[in-house]
């Protein structure tokens, strides 16, 4: 895996600096290969009160990963069948801009923090990535009687579900790759 060594190095530096480090291994449909990604500790959200000694975090009831994806990436993933409703996200954002409504956090804490760091938001960056929350958790699905492991991806700004995958089901794309020997 081409991404393994850079991700591992970044993880080691973060572990030394902050005491925690996270990596995420997954199949990347855009690159058509497995990838390993270093995840900043700011981009991993764990249940605060849950304690674990398992370094793999395999017994944690939910883990949320913050993703940042640009419009072209989201549209490509929608074409591949991973997300749905991407056009609606951008249609609603354009309507909000036309009506003058804004969903940007203008709290005094955020304003003071941005000011202290020299960050300014002139409101003209329409090509910024969307923030997605990808939660790996256990849910009882409608019509089911037991909890199943799922991955739910939600757009943070609109709180709309973009994807819901049951992890115990076989991935047909993965099966096809396996049978081809890729």
């Amino acid at each position: 895996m081409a991404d393994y060594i850079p991700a591992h190095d970044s993880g080691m530096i973060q572990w030394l600096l902050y005491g925690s480090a996270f990596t995420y291994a997954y199949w990347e449909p855009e690159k058509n290969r497995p990838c390993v990604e270093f995840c900043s500790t700011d981009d991993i959200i764990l249940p605060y009160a849950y304690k674990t000694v398992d370094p793999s975090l395999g017994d944690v009831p939910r883990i949320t990963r913050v993703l940042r994806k640009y419009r072209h990436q989201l549209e490509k993933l929608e074409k591949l069948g991973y997300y749905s409703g991407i056009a609606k996200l951008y249609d609603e954002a354009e309507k909000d801009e036309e009506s003058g409504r804004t969903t940007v956090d203008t709290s005094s804490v955020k304003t003071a923090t941005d000011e202290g760091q020299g960050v300014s938001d002139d409101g003209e960056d329409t090509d910024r990535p969307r923030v997605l929350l990808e939660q790996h958790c256990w849910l009882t699905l409608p019509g089911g009687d037991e909890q199943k492991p799922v991955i739910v991806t939600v757009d943070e700004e609109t709180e709309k579900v973009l994807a819901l995958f049951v992890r115990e089901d076989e991935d047909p794309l993965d099966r096809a790759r396996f049978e081809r020997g890729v």
Side-chain angles (χ1 to χ4, degrees):
M1 286 196 269
D3 303 333
Y4 179 77
I5 291 175
H8 182 72
D9 290 348
S10 296
M12 290 300 291
I13 290 169
Q14 179 159 331
W15 176 71
L16 291 169
L17 291 172
Y18 304 111
S20 293
F22 300 97
T23 55
Y24 183 70
Y26 61 99
W27 178 264
E28 175 57 64
E30 288 181 282
K31 296 176 183 175
N32 197 30
R33 65 179 172 85
C35 292
V36 175
E37 180 182 319
F38 156 75
C39 299
S40 166
T41 54
D42 293 338
D43 291 343
I44 299 293
I45 304 164
L46 301 169
Y48 178 74
Y50 193 84
K51 304 297 180 212
T52 183
V53 294
D54 183 1
S56 73
L57 301 176
D59 60 345
V60 175
R62 72 177 181 283
I63 298 174
T64 304
R65 185 169 73 114
V66 178
L67 302 171
R68 289 166 187 81
K69 299 268 186 198
Y70 288 95
R71 183 175 188 160
H72 70 278
Q73 293 173 309
L74 292 170
E75 289 172 347
K76 188 170 186 178
L77 289 167
E78 183 177 35
K79 280 184 183 177
L80 293 170
Y82 283 86
Y83 295 142
S84 64
I86 300 302
K88 289 180 185 177
L89 292 179
Y90 288 98
D91 289 344
E92 289 175 11
E94 289 169 6
K95 287 178 188 175
D96 287 346
E97 286 175 18
E98 291 170 5
S99 67
R101 283 190 325 195
T102 181
T103 56
V104 176
D105 181 9
T106 57
S107 70
S108 59
V109 173
K110 181 177 182 347
T111 304
T113 303
D114 288 350
E115 198 174 290
Q117 294 177 348
V119 175
S120 65
D121 183 11
D122 57 9
E124 295 183 21
D125 185 11
T126 57
D127 194 31
R128 73 182 95 183
R130 291 196 78 92
V131 177
L132 307 178
L133 302 174
E134 179 185 89
Q135 187 170 88
H136 298 245
C137 59
W138 292 80
L139 292 176
T140 303
L141 300 173
D145 56 348
E146 62 183 49
Q147 289 190 333
K148 298 190 180 279
V150 297
I151 301 172
V152 181
T153 306
V154 176
D155 177 59
E156 184 181 55
E157 185 179 319
T158 62
E159 299 179 359
K160 296 201 185 266
V161 175
L162 302 179
L164 187 134
F165 293 103
V166 178
R167 290 186 291 156
E168 68 182 11
D169 290 345
E170 183 173 72
D171 181 355
L173 297 174
D174 190 43
R175 169 53 63 187
R177 279 192 303 271
F178 177 77
E179 289 173 356
R180 285 193 317 261
V182 175

